[in-house]
Amino acid sequence: MTREHMAKMRMARFLDFEEGCLLVLTEDFKVGSGWTENVRPEFNWWVMEGAGVVGYSIDGLDAGPPDYEFLKSCDFRVVAPQFGLTDAGVDQVTESAYGFYVLQDERSAAQEDYREALICTEEARGPEDLIHALELWTSLYHLYGHGDGLYWLGFTCAELGMCEQAVAWLLRFIDLRHDNPWAHYLLGRMYNRLGDQGSAREHLYMAVLHETMNGYETGAAGLLAILGD
């Protein structure tokens, strides 16, 4: 296989979380744009705007396996080292992923790292556990492209007292999930610690707005009342 040919290949990444399995095929893996276009809603086929990314959801397929005939129509080749595929069609990669994650009910390394990171974060006994969690969340975001990693990077930095770093990660997270009340609440707390009460009020207000819409209770209203107008 020539270097020019390899340059045209797209890498396949696999995420397997509580929601199920997601196969991501990409030549330029970017997290931040969000899934923007549902090309085939009946088969959960998605394209990410401006990132050269194509994804196929293979979770919850009670009716059977993916639409392989449709997948054969995708005209790019894929590298999937997880399954020993170096020049495969999208249908071949999807079939391998479906067989491994759905039929064999296997878990991915990303899923295991995610669970370990949650335990380290939520049950941390000291800075060492939080630093280990920070390493895991960094890997989950940068290596696996898991957007939740951004929130937990911010959360873990906040727990370590790294307020400026927490704000930076959380702002990137709300670019993806602007309606997440917990992210806005945590941003409000961090800005308040940094002495920027204007930004703190702004995000606390957004937290109250979105928790009302989504049925959550973050405690943002109480902190907002303390800060006043």
Side-chain angles (χ1 to χ4, degrees):
M1 188 180 301
T2 66
R3 181 178 300 179
E4 181 180 353
H5 182 68
M6 281 296 295
K8 296 179 180 179
M9 305 290 283
R10 301 191 184 189
M11 180 66 72
R13 299 175 186 247
F14 305 91
L15 305 181
D16 177 17
F17 303 108
E18 292 180 1
E19 298 82 4
C21 307
L22 179 68
L23 165 65
V24 179
L25 310 172
T26 173
E27 58 188 0
D28 184 10
F29 193 68
K30 298 178 182 177
V31 175
S33 299
W35 298 112
T36 57
E37 181 184 357
N38 195 337
V39 182
R40 291 271 297 227
E42 69 272 29
F43 293 113
N44 295 323
W45 181 256
W46 295 84
V47 172
M48 184 181 285
E49 180 181 9
V53 177
V54 178
Y56 189 88
S57 172
I58 56 174
D59 62 297
L61 293 178
D62 297 332
D67 180 5
Y68 294 121
E69 289 304 312
F70 167 65
L71 296 176
K72 288 178 182 177
S73 68
C74 297
D75 59 355
F76 56 83
R77 308 300 290 174
V78 181
V79 175
Q82 300 92 329
F83 304 118
L85 301 174
T86 57
D87 186 8
V90 179
D91 58 314
Q92 294 173 281
V93 179
T94 307
E95 184 174 15
S96 295
Y98 182 81
F100 186 75
Y101 291 117
V102 178
L103 300 182
Q104 298 179 39
D105 196 28
E106 297 287 349
R107 294 176 179 172
S108 68
Q111 184 186 57
E112 297 301 320
D113 285 352
Y114 190 91
R115 292 180 176 179
E116 182 181 351
L118 274 180
I119 292 171
C120 286
T121 304
E122 296 176 343
E123 301 179 7
R125 295 186 178 90
E128 296 83 3
D129 288 340
L130 290 170
I131 290 171
H132 181 51
L134 209 57
E135 294 171 346
L136 291 170
W137 292 124
T138 301
S139 173
L140 280 158
Y141 173 64
H142 288 290
L143 187 61
Y144 296 111
H146 192 343
D148 282 1
L150 287 169
Y151 172 81
W152 288 107
L153 280 165
F155 182 93
T156 309
C157 284
E159 292 292 294
L160 286 165
M162 302 161 60
C163 299
E164 292 181 353
Q165 292 89 337
V167 166
W169 289 119
L170 290 165
L171 287 174
R172 291 180 66 179
F173 176 73
I174 62 172
D175 281 342
L176 294 176
R177 296 284 306 280
H178 61 86
D179 62 344
N180 186 288
W182 290 102
H184 284 292
Y185 170 60
L186 192 50
L187 273 166
R189 286 177 49 201
M190 293 299 99
Y191 275 123
N192 187 44
R193 288 187 190 177
L194 292 169
D196 185 349
Q197 294 194 341
S199 295
R201 291 189 189 94
E202 176 186 344
H203 285 286
L204 290 170
Y205 173 78
M206 294 299 293
V208 171
L209 175 66
H210 290 300
E211 71 181 24
T212 301
M213 295 170 60
N214 296 300
Y216 298 116
E217 185 175 347
T218 65
L223 182 53
L224 193 58
I226 293 172
L227 293 178
D229 295 331

